[in-house]
């Protein structure tokens, strides 16, 4: 995926809840780049700001949340390039149904500054979302066919009713549901099927980006696996970029190309899936990765990160992770570490004083981090 | 189908129970209709013992039959569609009295309820949509104020100012009987419409707030649902999100209320019809009670019961149309 063109560039995004002195900084200074066709995983504990980030870049935040700074630049696909070349669109390719709205065919656009009309055109055309619980994100009194087709009716008014219906049936087939379920209501479908319908709706307009906000959290593990396979398969077929939000890092390490880890509203580490898995640098990343047992490799005791995520109303000074960090140094309590590229790995960035160029001494090894966590665990165990 | 039949059975049982209570309750009160008419006649001069006997025979109160036997007679008459003779409108049949009054009530009240429901619900939708805006906060307080106004006071104020002082609208009777004749002619319809303005207006003003507050609250709950978020994310027009996704779901609790209100229409709004001397069914009921007119009161209450039950049945059926989730029960 290296070298692929950027499709979404989030730059120094800040989101507060409330204004003034008491404002809670849910997302602080987050920069992330999503490249065309890649799966970028965003992991973090509850309250780390990952969902707020998603709602900010989709402009779905509700008061009292306010975007206080930053940009989310969307790069439209080259007009000449046909992104659908890998797709099989027997129904629609022949017709003019997929001629795009002109609103966004220009250059890079800041989503956060789109006019209401352009925002509406942008939504779902370029960026679709699969929500956390498909159970609640489908309208309970509307058959799923209507919920798939109203996207087309709004964004592709040229499509005829028959074309819409054909496309809806095709979409259901794509996600492995028999088209005869078109008339079903959400309550008549199983949890897994509903999530598939959610994915089908997301695919309806062939967006460049699909954001998946914990799409498998509400499902049992078997269904999780199926949905993940489905997502991977569809991604290969249609080449959309995925921003995959989850608190389940093990899942991300499996499907994502790159992973970013958030803590207390900031990105603490970002890197390729492989690099992050093999060499987690930030002590928090290390803790997350080793807090679940691995099925492969040598037997290791799972470690836990002591304490709990910080209250965003009172984020610790300096590095927000320092009260829970086994390797905290005096500087961690005072200075905010910058997210800096690492010389050892091209795509990795870490926000930790241990890796700063000014750091004295060598960065910690994996064994040192493990030892640190075990010492912390013993310490708290004796309390 | 089986479910429908079971429902029907339950409804029939409800009607029978109500009819029974209806029969016994007024008869447990002291006095009887023959006395009432006797005293009314006596005010105009002496009434012979024979007349009194005849009255008692006419109203069926001369009987020495025990109450339970009278009850069986009553049920038998009901089954034959015979509601008896009204004392208030003597010697008219109860069914004729009802037929004569029901039109007025239905026209006035159905119109008011429909207007009030539609208006209140729409305002509620917009207020919830613009929650926290100046429109919402202003209307919220205005509506809460309206909601707490006592209807008789509002009606009297309207009668006094709009009717009596300003003379904009007539404030009694259903139409102007001195200049128009009842029937399908323009004069009569205009006159009837003019007479309906004040009672309809006061009714709408006093009930619109209830619908509105119900809808606003239901709508606010609905708006926080994930499917609304998804509808917005889909880039649908606000109108579609507001109506097809939000209002359509938020409306469900109001439907029951609407059906009950329509059902209650048949019984007439006693206060409205009394204040405005409107020739409707409520007014008739009021008179029936005053005159111990068992037959008329029983007849009207029977009608109310049947309509309420039928409206309930309709809501039941309507729900399966409006909310697909309730259809599950049928197949299960």
């Amino acid at each position: 995926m290296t070298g692929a063109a950027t499709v979404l560039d989030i730059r120094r995004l800040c989101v507060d809840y409330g204004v003034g002195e008491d404002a809670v900084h849910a997302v602080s200074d987050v920069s992330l780049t999503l490249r065309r066709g890649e799966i970028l995983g965003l992991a973090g504990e509850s309250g780390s700001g990952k969902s707020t980030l998603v709602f900010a870049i989709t402009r779905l935040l509700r008061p009292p949340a306010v975007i206080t700074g930053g940009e989310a630049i969307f790069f439209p696909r080259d007009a000449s390039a046909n992104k659908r070349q890998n797709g099989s669109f027997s129904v629609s390719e022949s017709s003019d149904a997929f001629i795009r709205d002109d609103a966004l065919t220009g250059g890079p656009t800041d989503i956060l500054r789109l006019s209401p009309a352009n925002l509406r055109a942008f939504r779902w055309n370029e960026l679709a979302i699969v929500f956390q619980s498909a159970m609640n994100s489908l309208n309970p009194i509307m058959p799923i066919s209507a919920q798939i087709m109203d996207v087309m009716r709004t964004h592709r008014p040229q499509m005829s009713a028959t074309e819409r219906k054909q496309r809806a049936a095709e979409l259901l087939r794509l996600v492995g549901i028999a088209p005869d379920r078109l008339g079903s209501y959400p309550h008549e479908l199983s949890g897994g099927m509903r999530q598939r319908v959610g994915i089908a709706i997301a695919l309806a307009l062939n967006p460049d980006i699909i954001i998946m906000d914990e799409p498998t959290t509400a499902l049992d593990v078997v269904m999780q696996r199926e949905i993940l396979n489905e997502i991977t398969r569809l991604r290969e077929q249609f080449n959309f970029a995925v921003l995959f939000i989850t608190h389940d890092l093990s899942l991300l390490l499996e499907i994502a190309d790159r992973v970013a880890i958030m803590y207390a509203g900031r990105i603490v580490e970002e890197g390729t899936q492989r690099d992050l898995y093999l060499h987690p640098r930030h002590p928090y990343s290390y803790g997350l990765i080793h807090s679940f047992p691995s099925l492969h490799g040598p037997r290791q005791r799972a470690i836990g990160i002591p304490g709990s995520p910080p209250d965003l109303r009172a984020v610790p000074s300096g590095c927000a992770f320092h009260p829970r960090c086994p390797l905290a140094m005096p500087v961690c309590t005072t200075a905010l570490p910058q997210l800096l590229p690492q010389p050892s790995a091209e795509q990795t960035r870490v926000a930790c004083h241990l890796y700063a160029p000014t750091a004295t001494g060598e960065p910690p090894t994996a064994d040192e981090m493990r030892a640190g966590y075990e010492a912390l665990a013993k310490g708290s165990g004796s309390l | 189908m089986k479910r429908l039949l079971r429902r029907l059975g339950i409804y029939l049982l409800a009607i029978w129970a109500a009819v029974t209570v209806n029969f016994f309750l007024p008869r447990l009160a002291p006095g009887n209709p023959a006395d009432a008419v006797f005293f009314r006649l006596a005010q105009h001069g002496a009434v012979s013992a024979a007349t009194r006997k005849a009255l008692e025979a006419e109203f069926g109160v001369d009987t020495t039959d025990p109450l339970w036997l009278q009850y069986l007679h009553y049920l038998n008459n009901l089954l034959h569609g015979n509601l008896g003779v009204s004392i208030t409108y003597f010697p008219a049949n109860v069914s004729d009295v009802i037929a004569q009054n029901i039109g007025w009530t239905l026209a006035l009240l159905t119109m008011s309820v429909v207007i009030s429901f539609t208006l209140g619900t729409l305002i509620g939708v917009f207020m919830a949509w613009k929650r926290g805006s100046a429109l919402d906060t202003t209307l919220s307080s205005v509506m809460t104020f309206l909601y707490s106004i006592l209807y008789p006071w509002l009606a009297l104020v309207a009668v006094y100012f709009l009717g009596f002082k300003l003379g904009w609208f007539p404030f009694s009777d259903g139409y102007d009987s001195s200049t128009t004749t009842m029937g399908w002619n323009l004069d009569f319809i205009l006159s009837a419409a003019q007479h309906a303005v004040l009672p309809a207006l006061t009714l709408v003003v006093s009930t619109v707030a209830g619908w509105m507050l119900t809808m606003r609250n239901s709508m606010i709950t609905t708006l926080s649902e994930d499917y609304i978020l998804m509808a917005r994310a889909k880039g649908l027009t606000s109108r579609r999100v507001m109506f097809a996704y939000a209002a359509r779901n938020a409306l469900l609790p109001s439907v029951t209320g609407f059906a009950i209100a329509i059902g209650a229409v048949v019984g007439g709004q006693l206060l409205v019809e009394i204040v405005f001397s409107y020739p409707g069914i409520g007014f008739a009921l009021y008179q029936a009670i005053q005159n111990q007119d068992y037959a008329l009161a029983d007849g009207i209450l029977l009608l109310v019961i049947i309509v309420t039950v039928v409206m309930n049945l309709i809501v039941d059926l309507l729900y399966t149309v409006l909310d697909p989730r309730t259809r599950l029960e049928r197949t299960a």
Side-chain angles (χ1 to χ4, degrees):
Chain A
M1 281 304 145
T2 346
T6 300
V7 62
L8 178 69
D9 197 5
I10 302 169
R11 296 174 186 165
R12 315 202 61 132
L13 184 72
C14 300
V15 182
D16 284 1
Y17 283 92
V19 280
E21 291 280 291
D22 305 327
V24 170
H25 307 293
V27 171
S28 311
D29 202 12
V30 166
S31 298
L32 261 185
T33 303
L34 180 64
R35 299 191 188 113
R36 223 160 254 293
E38 78 171 344
I39 298 185
L40 171 61
L42 186 59
E45 291 166 287
S46 308
S48 58
K50 49 196 197 308
S51 287
T52 305
L53 176 72
V54 167
F55 288 139
I57 58 175
T58 50
R59 300 265 304 264
L60 287 170
L61 285 176
R62 298 184 216 222
V66 227
I67 298 171
T68 51
E71 299 169 317
I73 311 291
F74 170 73
F75 295 85
R77 131 185 25 80
D78 221 359
S80 55
N82 182 4
K83 72 154 177 173
R84 291 188 192 87
Q85 54 203 3
N86 337 338
S88 60
F89 285 95
S90 47
V91 184
S92 15
E93 222 161 28
S94 52
S95 69
D96 303 342
F98 280 95
I99 290 176
R100 309 180 60 85
D101 294 324
D102 289 329
L104 292 156
T105 44
T109 327
D110 184 356
I111 304 170
L112 305 184
R113 281 170 189 80
L114 282 175
S115 70
N118 283 347
L119 175 65
R120 232 169 28 72
F122 169 79
R123 283 177 168 167
W124 230 257
N125 255 325
E126 320 286 359
L127 186 155
I129 311 174
V130 177
F131 285 91
Q132 180 170 140
S133 85
M135 168 91 83
N136 303 327
S137 60
L138 296 174
N139 186 343
I141 54 171
M142 216 186 247
I144 56 172
S145 58
Q147 303 190 48
I148 301 176
M149 291 190 291
D150 64 1
V151 180
M152 293 176 242
R153 201 157 62 195
T154 309
H155 294 281
R156 303 276 186 276
Q158 332 75 306
M159 279 176 95
S160 71
T162 335
E163 282 175 314
R164 285 200 296 263
K165 190 140 197 170
Q166 276 178 306
R167 174 78 175 134
E170 183 193 344
L171 286 166
L172 279 197
R173 257 197 308 273
L174 272 177
V175 296
I177 298 178
D180 62 1
R181 299 308 295 263
L182 269 176
S184 298
Y185 287 92
H187 71 267
E188 294 167 339
L189 304 174
S190 68
M193 279 168 98
R194 270 178 239 162
Q195 199 53 279
R196 283 162 194 271
V197 170
I199 295 171
I201 298 178
L203 292 172
L205 305 177
N206 276 295
D208 284 347
I209 309 168
I210 298 185
I211 293 182
M212 305 206 171
D213 186 7
E214 311 223 11
T216 58
T217 307
L219 303 174
D220 61 71
V221 282
V222 178
M223 197 49 73
Q224 271 192 15
R225 167 61 45 208
E226 282 185 24
I227 295 285
L228 289 180
N229 289 344
E230 204 75 69
I231 292 169
T232 322
R233 183 177 64 75
L234 291 166
R235 201 269 308 238
E236 272 157 26
Q237 193 174 352
F238 300 112
N239 201 36
F240 46 80
V242 178
L243 180 56
F244 197 106
I245 317 289
T246 181
H247 59 255
D248 186 349
L249 188 59
S250 56
L251 192 150
L252 276 189
L253 292 174
E254 225 175 297
I255 67 157
D257 300 307
R258 289 190 306 127
V259 175
I261 293 175
M262 274 186 93
Y263 188 79
R266 292 176 188 275
I267 305 246
V268 294
E269 180 161 2
E270 184 196 342
T272 61
Q273 161 268 341
R274 192 177 160 74
D275 189 51
L276 193 85
Y277 178 59
L278 295 177
H279 312 289
R281 287 177 171 77
H282 197 288
Y284 178 61
S285 317
Y286 182 91
L288 275 187
I289 289 176
H290 292 89
S291 60
F292 52 86
S294 167
L295 286 180
H296 312 288
R299 273 170 60 118
Q300 277 189 323
R301 181 193 294 273
I303 57 162
I305 305 175
S308 48
D311 182 347
L312 286 176
R313 283 168 300 185
V315 179
S317 61
C319 170
F321 186 60
H322 82 256
R324 302 168 74 187
C325 183
L327 303 173
M329 308 176 291
V331 63
C332 299
T333 58
T334 51
L336 183 69
Q338 298 300 306
L339 188 63
L340 296 170
Q342 291 303 299
S344 51
E346 191 190 345
Q347 294 192 49
T348 301
R349 295 190 297 160
V350 187
C352 179
H353 289 302
L354 292 168
Y355 300 90
T358 54
T360 50
E362 287 295 297
T365 61
D367 287 339
E368 282 166 1
M369 284 197 267
R370 160 165 293 273
Y373 272 113
E374 277 166 359
L376 269 187
K378 278 203 194 87
S380 64
S382 65
L383 282 175
Chain B
M1 200 60 217
K2 203 169 150 192
R3 179 166 167 256
L4 191 70
L5 282 178
R6 210 180 57 206
R7 286 239 150 236
L8 277 176
I10 292 171
Y11 285 138
L12 282 178
L13 201 70
I15 290 181
W16 167 79
V19 161
T20 306
V21 173
N22 229 351
F23 174 84
F24 285 105
L25 219 51
R27 283 163 181 79
L28 293 176
N32 68 47
D35 289 342
V37 176
F38 182 76
F39 287 126
R40 210 161 57 190
L41 291 179
Q43 282 169 355
H44 303 285
V47 186
S48 69
T51 311
R52 179 167 185 136
K53 268 253 165 294
L55 279 174
E56 284 176 347
E58 177 67 44
F59 298 134
V61 294
D62 61 336
T63 173
T64 50
D65 287 348
L67 209 50
W68 66 266
L69 203 61
Q70 291 180 38
Y71 172 64
L72 289 185
H73 277 302
Y74 171 72
L75 281 189
N76 187 40
N77 279 340
L78 268 192
L79 288 177
H80 292 88
N82 180 3
L83 296 177
V85 176
S86 163
I87 301 146
T88 322
Y89 299 87
F90 189 76
N93 275 324
V94 165
S95 32
D96 293 335
V97 175
I98 291 179
Q100 201 182 13
N101 288 290
I102 193 88
W104 292 101
T105 296
L106 283 185
L108 173 69
L109 294 184
T110 311
M111 193 176 65
S112 312
V113 170
V114 169
I115 291 177
S116 176
F117 175 77
T118 317
L119 208 65
T121 303
L122 274 178
I123 299 175
V125 168
F126 281 104
M127 283 175 67
W129 190 257
K130 299 267 175 208
R131 187 184 181 188
S133 67
L135 173 96
D136 177 41
T137 38
T138 324
L139 271 181
S140 278
S141 22
V142 170
M143 288 296 175
T144 314
F145 172 68
L146 282 184
Y147 191 63
S148 51
I149 290 181
L150 211 56
Y151 178 78
W153 183 82
L154 180 74
L156 289 173
V157 166
V159 165
Y160 183 71
F161 286 102
L162 299 178
F164 184 67
K165 279 272 187 192
L166 295 168
W168 288 355
F169 303 105
F171 50 89
S172 80
D173 223 341
Y175 69 107
D176 192 343
S177 53
S178 59
T179 57
T180 54
T181 48
M182 216 164 163
W184 288 110
N185 58 71
L186 191 64
D187 282 347
F188 168 73
I189 292 170
L190 281 180
S191 170
Q194 204 188 5
H195 280 75
V197 170
L198 267 196
L201 187 73
T202 53
L203 259 178
V204 168
V205 168
S206 70
T207 52
V208 73
W211 295 119
M212 195 220 69
L213 293 173
T214 311
M215 189 59 185
R216 178 179 178 270
N217 292 344
S218 169
M219 182 85 177
I220 282 174
T221 314
T222 308
L223 282 177
S224 65
E225 296 282 348
D226 285 352
Y227 52 80
I228 302 295
L229 198 68
M230 170 133 168
R232 283 176 58 208
K234 275 154 95 175
L236 304 179
T237 58
S238 321
R239 225 183 54 212
R240 183 151 175 87
V241 180
M242 180 163 33
F243 290 107
Y245 282 75
R248 178 70 171 67
N249 273 291
L251 189 64
L252 291 173
S254 290
V255 170
T256 320
F258 179 65
I260 291 171
I262 286 282
V265 155
V266 180
Q269 287 277 6
L270 259 70
L271 284 171
V272 185
E273 296 186 358
I274 292 167
V275 171
F276 294 96
S277 312
Y278 206 75
I281 211 95
F283 197 55
L285 180 62
Y286 170 65
Q287 288 182 308
I289 293 166
Q290 281 202 320
N291 295 326
Q292 295 210 311
D293 188 346
Y294 294 167
L296 185 55
D298 279 350
I300 291 175
L301 290 175
L302 178 71
L303 187 73
V304 173
I305 291 160
I306 290 174
V307 171
T308 307
V309 166
V310 169
M311 284 316 288
N312 260 307
L313 185 66
I314 290 176
V315 171
D316 267 1
L317 297 177
L318 200 62
Y319 249 88
T320 61
V321 176
L322 287 179
D323 189 349
R325 282 164 295 185
T326 56
R327 282 174 225 164
L328 200 64
E329 221 182 309
R330 214 169 30 183
T331 52

